[in-house]
Each structure stands twice: as C-alpha cells, then as structure tokens.
Amino acid sequence: MSYSQLVFAPLSFTGWGSLEELVPQVEKFNPKRILVITDPMLEKLGLTARATEPLREKGWEVEVSTDVEPEPPLALGERLVKFTREGNFDLVVGFGGGSALDLAKLAAVLAKNEGDVADYLNLTATRSITEKGLPKILIPTTAGTGSEVTNISVLSLDSSKDVIAHEALIADVAIVDPALTVTVPPRVTAATGVDALTHAIEAYVSVNASPTSDALALHAIRLMSRSIRTAVHDGENKEARTAMSHGSYIAGLAFFNAGVAGVHALAYPLGGQFHIPHGESNAVLLPYVMNYIRKSSEKRMRDIFEALGGNAALMSDEEASYACVDELVRLVNDVGIPHTLQEFDIPESAIESLTKDGVKQKRILARSPLPLLEEDIRNVYRAAYSGKLTEPT
C-alpha cells in the first residue's frame, strides 16, 4: 500500500502536573455517576485519591473498582463489564497501569454493547461492536503500555492472549502526567519501560511503518534509551520520569499506527502460559527476535542503533545492525530484567506449546519484516531459552 492511515486519540494532555486537567475534562461530559477503574495497590497507597478526591469535591458520585489484575483474564473482563452495565454510570476513568486502562476501555465500550466479552475477541469473534459506549478518560501511572492512545484491550486466555480491537476503544481524553510514575518500583519501571521501547522499535521495522510513525518511533527510542536506566535506579529523578512518560506516549502513537510484530506475538504465550508480566515477556525476547529478523531490516536497525545512542558513522549497515542487537542486550541487562527463559523458570519442554500458541498470533505476525513461520518461532524460543542469539539458516 502506497499510503498510510493515521489515527490519534481525540484529546491528550501530557507533562508534569497535567492531572489538573481531569476536572475540567470531566465537566465537559456532565456526568452524574463516574466509575474509576484502578489498580488495588494504587488505591491502597492513596495515589488513586489524587484523581477521585477532586471529582468528589465537585459533587460527582464516584465509585471505585479495584477489580484489576496484571495480565487480566477473560473472566475478569466479563465480570467488570457486567458490573459497569448494572451500575448506571455516565463516565469511566481508567487510572493505573496497562491492565487498568485496558479494562476501563473494555468496560466503557461493552457496557453499551450486547453479549459477552468473549464474543468480541479477535481470534474467535462472533459479534462486532456497534455502539461507542460510555465516554472514557485514561490516565496512565506507568510509562510503558501506551494503552491510553490505542484501540485495543488485551486479555489473557488459558494459554495465550487475545485482544479486542475497535476504534470505539480509543480514549476520549488521555492525561499523561509523569508525576504519577514516581512511586513505581524499579522492576516495574524496567519492565514497562522496555515494553514501551519495544513498541517504538517494532513500529519502526513494521511493514506498516510510515514517515509519521517513523518520526514518532525514533524520537521515542531517543527519549527512553537515554532515561530508562536513570528512571529505574533513581525513580525520583523528574527529568528521567518525564522523558519516559513522553517516550511511552509517543511510542504508543507510533505502534498504534504502524503496529507491533514478532516480539509481541511471541510474548503473548509467555504471559498466557507462565503469567510473566507483559513488559518482561517483551524484554526477554526483544534481542532474540531482533537478531533473528536482522537481515530483513539492516538499514532500519542502523537507525535504531543511532537512536539508542550508538555511533554508526564508520559501520556498514550489517555491522550497525549487529551493534543494535548488542546494545539491546546491554540495555535489558542494565535495567535488571532476566535475559533467558530459563531465568524465568520456564522448562525447555515448554518450547513446543509456546510455539503452537505463538503461531496463532497471525494478526501481529503479519507486520514482521521477515515472515515468521512455525520453525522460525520455535528457533527464537530456543535461542531465548539457551541465551544464544541465532539467525535463520
């Protein structure tokens, strides 16, 4: 295709202190009852009150649901949609990490559409979304998923994951305030940060990349690669947290329009079968997938290497692409994420089941610059298990 379609969230506020926009934006929807969907830990720590208290002070009736889990299962989605349908809400606010935001989108939209959540899953859909649903405001408290600017909601199934994707899931308002990320623990900062970096990298090598998504992706890589180590090891560093939040947001815009590919496709079974957090699933696979597809993307991986801070002036494209993989290995190691499947206690015998589930992710695999067939997927998992980078034979 010689042209590109570009889609962006209708309204976004980004930057330190942008949470102040919440009340003015809620006023535009003139709600009576507001549902706030948030992570239980954020509620326990009192962080959710930074959103709910100003709403209550304005006289709105606010109900908080903390029925949120990492890598949310389908049953949780069904339960939350039922709760939202029965609650007579006028507005949904998602406040938290990617799971909270995905569930908020799901609840807001399917509350006004018939049937079960399972009816709308990408791989097995029997229904189509016909109603836009309730208005929704999404407020990320991590720098990672980009859920606040995408049209997908991810759910865990028995052994893998699936998504519901529709334009109705796009936020009416996104508020990205880096101040909300300061208390995120180092390991979560690392996982969500590498997740966001993966969004940008995969968007840049995607077969659906465009000049616009390219510009977004490369800038996101520059921002995050220069700040993620500091954000992990010095979480109160305002500059690092701001760069990570902006980078994650921009990476979300990039991958929403260009798509992600092999890393995400192979990460879904890791989350589904072994409940590894999505960011860590991406992080452990990122160097292995990028090395495997390297020959199909040497020039683009040169660009990524330079965006990561490398100097490729005296390198050929091939040399720079290898250097790019080496830099990704270093980055994942520097932020403390295990670099093999063995370190996650995944047995070698699981490679076959992971491969079978990975093959099913055709929607995502279709964007890979190198077609990844069953044997290719098996080879990547083997490499990630052994810790030895490999390429197609």
Side-chain angles (χ1 to χ4, degrees):
M1 187 168 67
S2 59
Y3 61 90
S4 301
Q5 174 179 300
L6 300 170
V7 182
F8 299 98
L11 183 61
S12 298
F13 298 91
T14 65
W16 201 272
S18 57
L19 185 61
E20 293 178 4
E21 278 292 331
L22 178 58
V23 168
Q25 296 310 310
V26 168
E27 287 176 335
K28 294 179 180 180
F29 297 104
N30 193 30
K32 293 181 181 178
R33 279 176 51 78
I34 301 171
L35 173 61
V36 176
I37 296 174
T38 188
D39 299 289
M41 184 56 67
L42 298 182
E43 176 76 353
K44 182 178 180 180
L45 293 173
L47 191 63
T48 305
R50 295 177 64 176
T52 57
E53 286 183 1
L55 299 178
R56 289 183 172 127
E57 287 172 0
K58 282 290 184 176
W60 289 304
E61 185 179 348
V62 178
E63 185 155 349
V64 176
S65 172
T66 59
D67 194 6
V68 173
E69 301 173 18
E71 319 299 319
L74 175 61
L76 193 160
E78 300 280 14
R79 188 166 66 241
L80 192 55
V81 167
K82 182 176 184 292
F83 176 79
T84 309
R85 285 172 174 166
E86 295 173 352
N88 196 29
F89 298 106
D90 307 298
L91 173 71
V92 175
V93 175
F95 186 90
S99 296
L101 302 191
D102 278 7
L103 288 169
K105 292 191 285 189
L106 193 71
V109 173
L110 294 191
K112 296 298 181 180
N113 286 269
E114 296 181 351
D116 297 329
V117 175
D119 298 336
Y120 297 91
L121 290 171
N122 173 68
L123 296 177
T124 55
T126 58
R127 289 179 181 266
S128 298
I129 291 172
T130 58
E131 302 296 329
K132 185 178 186 298
L134 298 171
K136 51 203 167 298
I137 298 176
L138 302 182
I139 308 169
T141 60
T142 63
T145 70
S147 180
E148 71 276 7
V149 292
T150 68
N151 70 340
I152 62 173
S153 180
V154 184
L155 294 168
S156 294
L157 307 181
D158 290 338
S159 62
S160 189
K161 293 185 179 183
D162 201 358
V163 305
I164 295 175
H166 192 275
E167 62 182 12
L169 292 166
I170 298 174
D172 295 278
V173 180
I175 299 175
V176 183
D177 188 340
L180 298 173
T181 70
V182 170
T183 59
V184 177
R187 182 148 181 170
V188 178
T189 298
T192 56
V194 179
D195 185 16
L197 187 65
T198 303
H199 292 156
I201 290 171
E202 290 212 280
Y204 192 67
V205 299
S206 167
V207 297
N208 294 334
S210 70
T212 302
S213 66
D214 285 349
L216 292 167
L218 288 177
H219 188 49
I221 294 168
R222 293 186 194 101
L223 282 171
M224 292 186 289
S225 63
R226 288 157 176 76
S227 57
I228 186 171
R229 293 172 176 88
T230 301
V232 169
H233 299 296
D234 180 13
E236 294 187 1
N237 186 297
K238 181 177 179 179
E239 292 182 357
R241 289 296 193 181
T242 298
M244 288 302 297
S245 284
H246 285 153
S248 172
Y249 170 78
I250 296 167
L253 295 175
F255 95 82
F256 179 33
N257 285 283
V260 289
V263 179
H264 277 73
L266 274 62
Y268 278 3
L270 289 181
Q273 293 186 31
F274 296 97
H275 308 292
I276 298 175
H278 177 63
E280 295 189 7
S281 297
N282 277 332
V284 70
L285 291 171
L286 177 61
Y288 301 101
V289 173
M290 294 307 296
N291 189 74
Y292 199 84
I293 69 169
R294 186 194 57 77
K295 287 184 180 179
S296 70
S297 306
E298 287 182 346
K299 174 63 175 67
R300 291 206 156 231
M301 288 182 66
R302 179 194 190 98
D303 297 339
I304 293 170
F305 175 58
E306 292 182 328
L308 288 167
N311 182 357
L314 301 179
M315 295 180 180
S316 66
D317 288 347
E318 181 182 30
E319 291 169 334
S321 67
Y322 278 119
C324 178
V325 174
D326 291 340
E327 180 59 26
L328 293 177
V329 171
R330 275 192 295 272
L331 188 148
V332 172
N333 181 67
D334 287 349
V335 298
I337 296 177
H339 70 284
T340 69
L341 299 186
Q342 291 186 69
E343 292 175 81
F344 285 101
D345 294 325
I346 295 175
E348 188 172 11
S349 60
I351 289 176
E352 281 307 307
S353 62
L354 290 170
T355 300
K356 296 300 182 185
D357 282 339
V359 169
K360 297 175 185 177
Q361 299 297 329
K362 299 185 186 302
R363 177 185 66 91
I364 309 177
L365 290 169
R367 304 176 189 130
S368 175
L370 176 73
L372 295 175
L373 305 179
E374 182 172 337
E375 187 59 24
D376 300 303
I377 292 170
R378 185 177 290 108
N379 287 339
V380 172
Y381 280 131
R382 284 172 176 162
Y385 178 81
S386 67
K388 298 178 181 178
L389 296 167
T390 188
E391 298 185 35
T393 55

